[in-house]
């Protein structure tokens, strides 16, 4: 009977993590480039009381055995990198990736971060940076007096300066991809970092070798579907409630056993 208490308790703990993950998804429903997470569960070890195939007294084999499980545990929280919807902004430095790939930025410690959030700005030095001031890689410089900033779907950045008729090229935006994007580590600020599980970064140009194209004047919205998350929340809540009922039933059965009289 004690086994049922611990098994149900493990189920309640697992659903708490599930609810935490769903809540984070919903909290970021309007976060640019956000990718939702999903919790995967695993059953725990089993106690085998009788193995299947054990011979009985008549010499034949027992077709099924007796095993009792010990509950559940979270196996992984996986990022789902399906594309979000594109939202038009009319801002020339707002970029979205139509397809696979990430923008690379330089973190304050000199390491690389990767993001799907293309809401870039120009700092006082004319450098293209994120909202937190992290430099886009490779660096792109746009003069303060530049007009008609244009970024084509292959990532070539051009602009006009006063008095010029022909546009000047500011640089080429490169994209980065990984063999296992789900293995990237989320570090906040809409950024991911490389891990051993993600594999080495693969660099390329937009629209080539499987990389997505760049859409100027658009931002990628979160891929969170509110209706799906609400359904998952109800399911998690009911699973938590069911496990608590199992604990209550086990407690009542133990109480019945304790109250037995000769």
């Amino acid at each position: 009977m004690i086994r049922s208490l611990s098994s149900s308790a493990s189920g309640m703990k697992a659903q708490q993590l599930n609810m935490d993950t769903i809540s984070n998804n919903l909290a970021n429903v309007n976060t640019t480039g956000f990718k939702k997470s999903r919790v995967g569960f695993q059953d725990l070890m089993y106690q085998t009381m009788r193995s299947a195939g054990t011979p009985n007294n008549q010499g034949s084999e027992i077709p099924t055995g007796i095993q009792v499980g010990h509950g559940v545990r979270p196996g992984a929280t996986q990022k789902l990198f399906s594309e979000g919807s594109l939202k038009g902004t009319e801002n020339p430095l707002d970029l979205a990736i139509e397809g696979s790939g990430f923008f690379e930025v330089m973190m304050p410690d000199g390491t690389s971060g990767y993001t799907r959030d293309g809401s870039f700005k120009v700092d006082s030095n004319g450098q293209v940076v994120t909202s937190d001031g992290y430099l886009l890689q490779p660096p792109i410089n746009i003069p303060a007096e530049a007009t008609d900033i244009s970024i084509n779907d292959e990532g070539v950045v051009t602009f006009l300066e006063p008095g010029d008729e022909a546009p000047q090229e500011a640089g080429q935006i490169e994209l980065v991809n990984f063999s296992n994007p789900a293995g990237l580590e989320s570090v906040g600020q809409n950024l991911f970092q490389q891990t051993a599980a993600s594999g080495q970064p693969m660099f390329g140009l937009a629209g080539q070798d499987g990389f997505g194209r760049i859409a100027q004047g658009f931002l990628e919205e979160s891929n969170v579907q509110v209706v799906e998350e609400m359904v998952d929340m109800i399911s998690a809540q009911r699973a938590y409630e069911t496990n608590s009922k199992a604990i209550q039933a086990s407690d009542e059965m133990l109480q019945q056993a304790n109250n037995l009289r000769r």
Side-chain angles (χ1 to χ4, degrees), residues 90-106:
E90 299 183 358
N91 185 341
L93 289 178
D94 283 343
L95 306 177
I97 301 173
E98 295 182 274
S100 62
F102 298 84
F103 298 109
E104 182 186 9
V105 298
M106 180 180 291

Side-chain angles (χ1 to χ4, degrees), residues 176-223:
V176 186
N177 210 349
F178 295 87
S179 57
N180 177 29
L184 292 169
E185 179 185 4
S186 301
V187 294
Q189 299 174 302
N190 294 349
L191 294 172
F192 301 93
Q193 285 193 310
Q194 173 190 348
T195 67
S198 67
Q200 294 296 316
M202 299 175 289
F203 299 90
L205 301 180
Q208 301 181 17
D209 302 322
F211 287 92
R213 293 185 174 274
I214 292 176
Q216 183 183 20
F218 290 87
L219 289 177
E220 182 185 8
E221 296 185 314
S222 165
N223 66 351

Side-chain angles (χ1 to χ4, degrees), residues 6 14 38 48 65 76 85 89 99 111 118 153 166 173 193 203-204 206 216-218:
S6 60
R38 179 184 64 197
T48 302
S85 301
T89 66
T111 60
D153 58 6
I173 296 175
Q193 285 193 310
F203 299 90
Q216 183 183 20
F218 290 87

